[in-house]
Amino acid sequence: MKRTGRIVTEATQAYSFSRRAWLLGGAQAGVGLLLAGRMAWLSVAQNAKYNLLSESNRVNATLVPPRRGWIIDRHGLPIANNRTDFRVDILPDRLPKPERERVLALLTKLLQLTPEDLERIRIDLDRAAGFQPVQIAEKLDWDRFAAVSVRLPELPGVQPTRGFARHYPAGAAVAHLTGYVGAPTAEQYRATHDALLVTPGFKLGKDGLEKTLEPMLRGKPGARRAEVTARGKLVAELATKPDVPGRNARLTIDVGLQEYAARRLGTNSGSAVVIDCRTGEMLCMVSMPAYDPNSFSDGISHLEWEMLSKNDHVPLMNKVTQGLYPPGSTVKPMHALALMENGVSPDERVFCSGALRVGTGVFHCHKRGGHGPLDMRNAVAQSCDIYFYEMIRRLGYDKVAPIARDLGLGQKFELPFTTQRYGTVPDSAWKLGKYKRPWTVADSLNASIGQGYVLTNPLQLAVMVARIASGRALVPSILADHVHRDAPALPFQSENLQVAREAMWKVVNGGGTGAAARLLVPGLSLAGKTGTAQVRRITMAERRVGVLKNAQLPFKLRDHALLVCFAPVENPRYAAAVVLEHNGHTVRTLDTPYIGRDILTYLLDRDRALATLAEVEPTWGGDIATRMAAEEAAYRTAHSPPPAAAATKTDAVVPSDAPAVEEATALANRTQAALSPDTPGPSVAEDGTTERSTDE
């Protein structure tokens, strides 16, 4: 059947058109509503966001590194401050490679760069991450800085900056105290993506107090704002957002004493610590030799790093906190106190014949002919080994160790340094736990003269003598707002402490081993105890033909020299510890008694101390800066470094973590293990110590 077609009338056409019109109209209205809603969202809810984006297109904002807080001493004098600095950097990712040589040639003309500067810059550009600023020059005068600033359109990637640079007025004298600041590493930026870390001129704390006090010292950055065209052309300078400077850190350190002690240590590899006997405040903390923190903050070269790393005096190590040493005879006053606290009378005598047989072993005194009969005070004064062998053999070292800990040995102090080693106060439980072997009489005899397993750092020795001098459990502090005042009394009888002080007075003023430390200040006296710590075994064959003197030995085989002291004896105010690595008592003016005497003299009679230093310092080759410059020149001449050695060292390794420091620590540990009583061969006590009068 044939189907008829649909009849379309005028009415059906009108209905169909009307329906389509409604549909289209509805769709248009929906789109209009969506557009209106979106416009409302953008103009109202997102107003602040797009205002900022618009402003960022119109305004070019450059972060301004904050001024770093100062580190100041107890008197308000600067230890680390800031100086105005004009510098020029290159941002590698903004400098097209085809343009590099042209830009460097123009900078050479404007800044008067040397060929060595250019070689260093090229190497640094090749090695730097794209966002990491490469220093072209700093400490510029205004004329050269302005010359670069007006030629910026011709210098893509070049960033002139006017800001502040870190400065350490005392130089190497405060290196291990303050540490230094340096440019952030690429790894630090990737970890935080903080734009401040890639801002030219910004530096953060890398080591020492600069690192541990970073949150306090840093401050908040400012911003330099300028109106620019779409092509980046400057239209107008806008108001600058000021930076917020970091807070100052006040230390208990006396920077004058710090610098004096550093100079007075001379050419030694060693350290000195001075503590206020009333409060426990640290007045100086010196480790020498050291690096110049100004050089490190500017950007040390690979050549300088290599020179410091290969120096056998290990200038990269903070010997105050990282150095551990057998204390030698400096612990004999502490041992005398331990004996008295355990019932030994200070008047009881022991006869010293020069040797003591214990079982199958013979233990010698440093004086081969012996001292004869000695009581406690004179045993300390003459540093008689036999007296302490015999007394501690009777008592047992387990009764001595708690007294040593009460006086600060082996103790951990809460100080703002990330690298501290705390040493060992051994006893039978410690040895059994560490070596799975029982304590022996030989262990006690070696410990009685500060050798064997006993290890301390210089700070602990200073605390020990400060506690003996004051009779209180002083706690060392270095931040002025964290001083531990009103320390409690030590749990010892005051009469016993007084005997220990009298014995230390006799060491210096009563014909003892430390007569060279006698104060030259009229009406005042110093009490102390010298010490010698051996770092090698002396064979019986060497004993038979004559023990080699320290001056005949290589540097690393010489004895350590130590001194602990306090003054004035009449009213103890200052306590000090001086530890000289491999000094061997070879040069009188560079030995511990003279150094300790002069450091405390500085606090009691400054003019006299400075006059003494002026007499002897020229004989060592001049002051610290002069000697360091001479050493660098000699090293450079001897090694003829390649151009790459001038490149800036940019890795994350800092002095306290340097391989040279780890190697020195490992060597000290091996030496200590080789001298332990359980190692085959005669121990130090069996050899007989090399302790002697420093006034000979």
Side-chain angles (χ1 to χ4, degrees), residues 300-441:
I300 190 173
S301 69
H302 287 275
L303 175 70
E304 293 172 276
W305 179 261
E306 180 184 272
M307 178 185 68
L308 292 168
S309 297
K310 291 184 176 179
N311 189 325
D312 63 1
H313 285 34
V314 201
L316 297 174
M317 173 186 264
N318 182 351
K319 299 176 178 69
V320 173
T321 59
Q322 292 181 287
L324 289 179
Y325 311 93
S329 296
T330 59
V331 293
K332 286 176 178 172
M334 178 270 292
H335 286 165
L337 178 62
L339 292 171
M340 289 184 286
E341 287 294 311
N342 283 281
V344 175
S345 169
D347 298 320
E348 184 177 348
R349 292 172 178 258
V350 169
F351 184 83
C352 172
S353 64
L356 174 69
R357 179 174 291 277
V358 179
T360 59
V362 178
F363 297 82
H364 295 88
C365 186
H366 69 88
K367 187 173 182 180
R368 307 304 287 176
H371 292 97
L374 292 173
D375 62 9
M376 185 178 290
R377 293 178 180 83
N378 284 298
V380 173
Q382 299 301 323
S383 202
C384 177
D385 297 328
I386 298 297
Y387 178 92
F388 289 96
Y389 293 157
E390 175 60 25
M391 287 298 189
I392 289 179
R393 181 183 67 82
R394 298 179 194 172
L395 182 66
Y397 203 77
D398 278 1
K399 293 185 178 179
V400 175
I403 308 295
R405 297 186 187 108
D406 284 342
L407 290 177
L409 301 191
Q411 189 172 344
K412 177 180 179 179
F413 304 114
E414 296 301 324
L415 294 170
F417 297 102
T418 56
T419 51
Q420 291 188 66
R421 301 176 69 214
Y422 306 108
T424 303
V425 177
D427 56 21
S428 57
W430 171 86
K431 185 180 179 184
L432 192 62
K434 184 173 179 64
Y435 294 107
K436 311 303 183 209
R437 292 195 295 269
W439 188 264
T440 66
V441 174

Side-chain angles (χ1 to χ4, degrees), residues 43-74:
S43 61
V44 179
Q46 296 287 289
N47 179 270
K49 173 183 175 182
Y50 287 99
N51 267 341
L52 287 174
L53 289 174
S54 173
E55 184 73 3
S56 68
N57 286 333
R58 183 182 72 87
V59 176
N60 184 6
T62 304
L63 285 180
V64 176
R67 285 163 289 175
R68 198 167 179 83
W70 287 22
I71 300 175
I72 57 178
D73 84 337
R74 63 190 299 108

Side-chain angles (χ1 to χ4, degrees), residues 582-636:
H582 310 294
N583 169 273
H585 307 297
T586 51
V587 180
R588 284 173 63 82
T589 59
L590 289 170
D591 203 356
T592 50
Y594 284 120
I595 293 172
R597 177 199 70 184
D598 290 347
I599 288 175
L600 291 191
T601 298
Y602 179 91
L603 292 163
L604 302 170
D605 188 338
R606 184 172 304 184
D607 291 339
R608 187 186 296 271
L610 290 171
T612 301
L613 179 62
E615 290 178 8
V616 295
E617 193 171 45
T619 66
W620 310 327
D623 62 15
I624 297 171
T626 301
R627 295 198 308 271
M628 289 178 68
E631 289 171 10
E632 181 177 348
Y635 188 88
R636 190 181 297 274

